[in-house]
């Protein structure tokens, strides 16, 4: 149980999006993009600042890592806590990881006040998030199974009963199959393969990783 909690599922951003709202003649443009590192996030933020060089503000936030190990936000000249932090809270609340957003503001001449700014910046991020594409990531184990031909059918039946697909296979003197097992199924799967093949199958743990369900 503890192991399952340690490796919680998360949503990975696959495709970003843009959205725009207008509040009292101020335009707020949110641009969201997948990022895998702080360097990628910084490059994206710089790119948006160059694209919208004539805007009053280009506020930003990003979340990187399956457990949100790295987070940053910037108000870019807006009153402290009215832009970057609310944007970051929306990202964290979405459960999406490896994601960065820049919200560009073209000032419309009317002050929105602290509450108005928070609502505008967080609101446009929510609208852009609704247009993004994500994929759920699950923690598992990549396992290589080596068996004689007598064990192939038994193993395939066992895998099918657990909805575990074969990602790679090689048929030679023996048969090698590579699968990815959900972490919560891994120990039981290994035990059942050994039992089904009367301990003739050889199991090799290749790596532990997140994979797309």
């Amino acid at each position: 149980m503890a192991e399952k909690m340690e490796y919680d599922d998360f949503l990975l951003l696959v495709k970003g999006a843009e959205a725009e709202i207008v509040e009292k003649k101020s335009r707020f443009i949110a641009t969201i993009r997948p990022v895998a590192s702080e360097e990628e996030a910084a490059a994206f933020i710089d790119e948006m600042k160059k694209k919208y060089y004539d805007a009053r503000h280009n506020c930003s936030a990003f979340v990187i890592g399956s457990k949100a190990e790295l987070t940053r936000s910037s108000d870019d000249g807006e009153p402290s806590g009215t832009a970057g932090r609310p944007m970051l809270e929306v990202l964290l609340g979405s459960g999406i990881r490896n994601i960065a957003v820049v919200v560009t503001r073209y000032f419309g001449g009317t002050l929105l006040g602290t509450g108005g700014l928070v609502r505008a910046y967080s609101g446009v991020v929510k609208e852009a998030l609704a247009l993004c594409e994500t994929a759920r990531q699950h923690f598992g184990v990549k396992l290589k199974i080596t068996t004689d031909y007598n064990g192939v059918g038994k193993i395939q039946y066992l895998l099918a009963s657990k909805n575990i697909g074969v990602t790679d296979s090689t048929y030679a003197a023996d048969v090698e199959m590579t699968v990815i097992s959900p972490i919560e199924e891994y120990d039981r799967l290994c035990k059942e393969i050994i039992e089904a093949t009367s301990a003739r199958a050889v199991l090799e743990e290749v790596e532990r990783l997140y994979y797309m369900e």
Side-chain angles (χ1 to χ4, degrees), residues 60-123:
S60 60
F62 61 85
V63 179
I64 294 172
S66 62
K67 299 180 181 63
E69 292 91 342
L70 180 60
T71 63
R72 295 282 189 276
S73 63
S74 168
D75 293 312
D76 194 38
E78 291 282 30
S80 179
T82 62
R85 186 67 200 181
M87 291 161 55
L88 179 61
E89 291 296 337
V90 172
L91 295 186
L92 289 169
S94 73
I96 303 172
R97 302 295 178 251
N98 290 9
I99 182 172
V101 60
V102 174
V103 174
T104 301
R105 181 190 183 189
Y106 285 95
F107 185 56
T110 302
L111 296 176
L112 299 183
T114 299
L117 287 173
V118 170
R119 285 191 296 273
Y121 277 103
S122 59

Side-chain angles (χ1 to χ4, degrees), residues 143 185-195 203:
L143 175 68
E185 288 278 354
Y186 178 63
D187 290 339
R188 183 181 301 162
L189 175 65
C190 291
K191 181 181 178 182
E192 291 181 1
I193 290 174
I194 294 299
E195 290 176 351
L203 307 181

